[in-house]
PDB file of all heavy atoms in Angstrom:
ATOM      1  N   GLU B   6     194.252 -83.455 -19.537  1.00 87.00           N
ATOM      2  CA  GLU B   6     193.307 -82.689 -18.715  1.00 87.00           C
ATOM      3  C   GLU B   6     193.656 -81.201 -18.718  1.00 87.00           C
ATOM      4  O   GLU B   6     192.771 -80.350 -18.800  1.00 87.00           O
ATOM      5  CB  GLU B   6     193.279 -83.229 -17.277  1.00 87.00           C
ATOM      6  CG  GLU B   6     192.747 -84.635 -17.156  1.00 87.00           C
ATOM      7  CD  GLU B   6     191.358 -84.788 -17.752  1.00 87.00           C
ATOM      8  OE1 GLU B   6     190.514 -83.895 -17.563  1.00 87.00           O
ATOM      9  OE2 GLU B   6     191.115 -85.804 -18.426  1.00 87.00           O
ATOM     10  N   TYR B   7     194.944 -80.885 -18.643  1.00 88.00           N
ATOM     11  CA  TYR B   7     195.378 -79.489 -18.682  1.00 88.00           C
ATOM     12  C   TYR B   7     195.013 -78.856 -20.024  1.00 88.00           C
ATOM     13  O   TYR B   7     194.497 -77.737 -20.078  1.00 88.00           O
ATOM     14  CB  TYR B   7     196.887 -79.414 -18.440  1.00 88.00           C
ATOM     15  CG  TYR B   7     197.451 -78.023 -18.580  1.00 88.00           C
ATOM     16  CD1 TYR B   7     197.290 -77.079 -17.570  1.00 88.00           C
ATOM     17  CD2 TYR B   7     198.133 -77.655 -19.729  1.00 88.00           C
ATOM     18  CE1 TYR B   7     197.800 -75.799 -17.699  1.00 88.00           C
ATOM     19  CE2 TYR B   7     198.648 -76.380 -19.876  1.00 88.00           C
ATOM     20  CZ  TYR B   7     198.478 -75.460 -18.862  1.00 88.00           C
ATOM     21  OH  TYR B   7     198.967 -74.193 -19.002  1.00 88.00           O
ATOM     22  N   LEU B   8     195.276 -79.591 -21.116  1.00 87.00           N
ATOM     23  CA  LEU B   8     194.951 -79.069 -22.447  1.00 87.00           C
ATOM     24  C   LEU B   8     193.446 -78.915 -22.633  1.00 87.00           C
ATOM     25  O   LEU B   8     192.988 -77.938 -23.229  1.00 87.00           O
ATOM     26  CB  LEU B   8     195.528 -79.995 -23.521  1.00 87.00           C
ATOM     27  CG  LEU B   8     197.056 -80.022 -23.605  1.00 87.00           C
ATOM     28  CD1 LEU B   8     197.511 -81.089 -24.581  1.00 87.00           C
ATOM     29  CD2 LEU B   8     197.590 -78.657 -24.007  1.00 87.00           C
ATOM     30  N   ARG B   9     192.656 -79.863 -22.129  1.00 88.00           N
ATOM     31  CA  ARG B   9     191.193 -79.760 -22.211  1.00 88.00           C
ATOM     32  C   ARG B   9     190.697 -78.511 -21.490  1.00 88.00           C
ATOM     33  O   ARG B   9     189.801 -77.826 -21.967  1.00 88.00           O
ATOM     34  CB  ARG B   9     190.529 -80.995 -21.603  1.00 88.00           C
ATOM     35  CG  ARG B   9     190.385 -82.117 -22.564  1.00 88.00           C
ATOM     36  CD  ARG B   9     189.457 -83.188 -22.012  1.00 88.00           C
ATOM     37  NE  ARG B   9     189.784 -84.420 -22.679  1.00 88.00           N
ATOM     38  CZ  ARG B   9     190.029 -85.566 -22.075  1.00 88.00           C
ATOM     39  NH1 ARG B   9     189.922 -85.671 -20.779  1.00 88.00           N
ATOM     40  NH2 ARG B   9     190.337 -86.634 -22.768  1.00 88.00           N
ATOM     41  N   GLU B  10     191.256 -78.219 -20.316  1.00 89.00           N
ATOM     42  CA  GLU B  10     190.852 -77.027 -19.566  1.00 89.00           C
ATOM     43  C   GLU B  10     191.178 -75.753 -20.335  1.00 89.00           C
ATOM     44  O   GLU B  10     190.407 -74.798 -20.322  1.00 89.00           O
ATOM     45  CB  GLU B  10     191.514 -77.006 -18.188  1.00 89.00           C
ATOM     46  CG  GLU B  10     190.916 -77.992 -17.223  1.00 89.00           C
ATOM     47  CD  GLU B  10     189.425 -77.798 -17.034  1.00 89.00           C
ATOM     48  OE1 GLU B  10     188.974 -76.654 -16.860  1.00 89.00           O
ATOM     49  OE2 GLU B  10     188.694 -78.816 -17.079  1.00 89.00           O
ATOM     50  N   LYS B  11     192.315 -75.732 -21.028  1.00 87.00           N
ATOM     51  CA  LYS B  11     192.682 -74.564 -21.834  1.00 87.00           C
ATOM     52  C   LYS B  11     191.717 -74.387 -23.007  1.00 87.00           C
ATOM     53  O   LYS B  11     191.345 -73.267 -23.356  1.00 87.00           O
ATOM     54  CB  LYS B  11     194.125 -74.680 -22.346  1.00 87.00           C
ATOM     55  CG  LYS B  11     195.152 -74.526 -21.263  1.00 87.00           C
ATOM     56  CD  LYS B  11     195.047 -73.141 -20.642  1.00 87.00           C
ATOM     57  CE  LYS B  11     196.040 -72.931 -19.538  1.00 87.00           C
ATOM     58  NZ  LYS B  11     195.868 -71.660 -18.853  1.00 87.00           N
ATOM     59  N   VAL B  12     191.298 -75.500 -23.624  1.00 88.00           N
ATOM     60  CA  VAL B  12     190.321 -75.432 -24.715  1.00 88.00           C
ATOM     61  C   VAL B  12     188.988 -74.906 -24.189  1.00 88.00           C
ATOM     62  O   VAL B  12     188.359 -74.043 -24.800  1.00 88.00           O
ATOM     63  CB  VAL B  12     190.154 -76.812 -25.392  1.00 88.00           C
ATOM     64  CG1 VAL B  12     188.974 -76.827 -26.341  1.00 88.00           C
ATOM     65  CG2 VAL B  12     191.426 -77.208 -26.123  1.00 88.00           C
ATOM     66  N   LYS B  13     188.557 -75.382 -23.031  1.00 90.00           N
ATOM     67  CA  LYS B  13     187.300 -74.919 -22.430  1.00 90.00           C
ATOM     68  C   LYS B  13     187.355 -73.434 -22.108  1.00 90.00           C
ATOM     69  O   LYS B  13     186.375 -72.708 -22.309  1.00 90.00           O
ATOM     70  CB  LYS B  13     186.979 -75.725 -21.168  1.00 90.00           C
ATOM     71  CG  LYS B  13     186.556 -77.151 -21.447  1.00 90.00           C
ATOM     72  CD  LYS B  13     186.317 -77.902 -20.164  1.00 90.00           C
ATOM     73  CE  LYS B  13     186.029 -79.364 -20.434  1.00 90.00           C
ATOM     74  NZ  LYS B  13     185.855 -80.139 -19.192  1.00 90.00           N
ATOM     75  N   GLN B  14     188.500 -72.958 -21.624  1.00 91.00           N
ATOM     76  CA  GLN B  14     188.653 -71.538 -21.335  1.00 91.00           C
ATOM     77  C   GLN B  14     188.566 -70.711 -22.615  1.00 91.00           C
ATOM     78  O   GLN B  14     187.957 -69.636 -22.636  1.00 91.00           O
ATOM     79  CB  GLN B  14     189.992 -71.273 -20.647  1.00 91.00           C
ATOM     80  CG  GLN B  14     190.057 -71.751 -19.225  1.00 91.00           C
ATOM     81  CD  GLN B  14     191.451 -71.588 -18.628  1.00 91.00           C
ATOM     82  OE1 GLN B  14     192.356 -71.059 -19.263  1.00 91.00           O
ATOM     83  NE2 GLN B  14     191.617 -72.046 -17.395  1.00 91.00           N
ATOM     84  N   ALA B  15     189.172 -71.206 -23.692  1.00 87.00           N
ATOM     85  CA  ALA B  15     189.121 -70.494 -24.969  1.00 87.00           C
ATOM     86  C   ALA B  15     187.701 -70.446 -25.513  1.00 87.00           C
ATOM     87  O   ALA B  15     187.265 -69.428 -26.055  1.00 87.00           O
ATOM     88  CB  ALA B  15     190.055 -71.167 -25.980  1.00 87.00           C
ATOM     89  N   ILE B  16     186.952 -71.527 -25.350  1.00 90.00           N
ATOM     90  CA  ILE B  16     185.569 -71.582 -25.838  1.00 90.00           C
ATOM     91  C   ILE B  16     184.697 -70.588 -25.078  1.00 90.00           C
ATOM     92  O   ILE B  16     183.809 -69.958 -25.660  1.00 90.00           O
ATOM     93  CB  ILE B  16     185.022 -73.015 -25.737  1.00 90.00           C
ATOM     94  CG1 ILE B  16     185.707 -73.914 -26.780  1.00 90.00           C
ATOM     95  CG2 ILE B  16     183.510 -73.064 -25.918  1.00 90.00           C
ATOM     96  CD1 ILE B  16     185.433 -75.380 -26.624  1.00 90.00           C
ATOM     97  N   LYS B  17     184.962 -70.410 -23.794  1.00 92.00           N
ATOM     98  CA  LYS B  17     184.166 -69.467 -22.998  1.00 92.00           C
ATOM     99  C   LYS B  17     184.374 -68.020 -23.421  1.00 92.00           C
ATOM    100  O   LYS B  17     183.571 -67.156 -23.088  1.00 92.00           O
ATOM    101  CB  LYS B  17     184.473 -69.642 -21.515  1.00 92.00           C
ATOM    102  CG  LYS B  17     183.897 -70.919 -20.972  1.00 92.00           C
ATOM    103  CD  LYS B  17     184.121 -71.070 -19.505  1.00 92.00           C
ATOM    104  CE  LYS B  17     183.533 -72.422 -19.113  1.00 92.00           C
ATOM    105  NZ  LYS B  17     183.523 -72.675 -17.722  1.00 92.00           N
ATOM    106  N   GLN B  18     185.448 -67.742 -24.165  1.00 91.00           N
ATOM    107  CA  GLN B  18     185.698 -66.386 -24.642  1.00 91.00           C
ATOM    108  C   GLN B  18     184.712 -65.980 -25.739  1.00 91.00           C
ATOM    109  O   GLN B  18     184.257 -64.846 -25.779  1.00 91.00           O
ATOM    110  CB  GLN B  18     187.133 -66.264 -25.182  1.00 91.00           C
ATOM    111  CG  GLN B  18     188.193 -66.499 -24.150  1.00 91.00           C
ATOM    112  CD  GLN B  18     188.190 -65.442 -23.074  1.00 91.00           C
ATOM    113  OE1 GLN B  18     188.043 -64.264 -23.355  1.00 91.00           O
ATOM    114  NE2 GLN B  18     188.328 -65.860 -21.828  1.00 91.00           N
TER     115      GLN B  18
END
Side-chain angles (χ1 to χ4, degrees):
E6 295 304 319
Y7 175 77
L8 292 173
R9 274 193 203 129
E10 286 303 314
K11 289 298 179 185
V12 169
K13 289 177 186 177
Q14 288 174 3
I16 289 170
K17 288 183 182 187
Q18 297 295 318

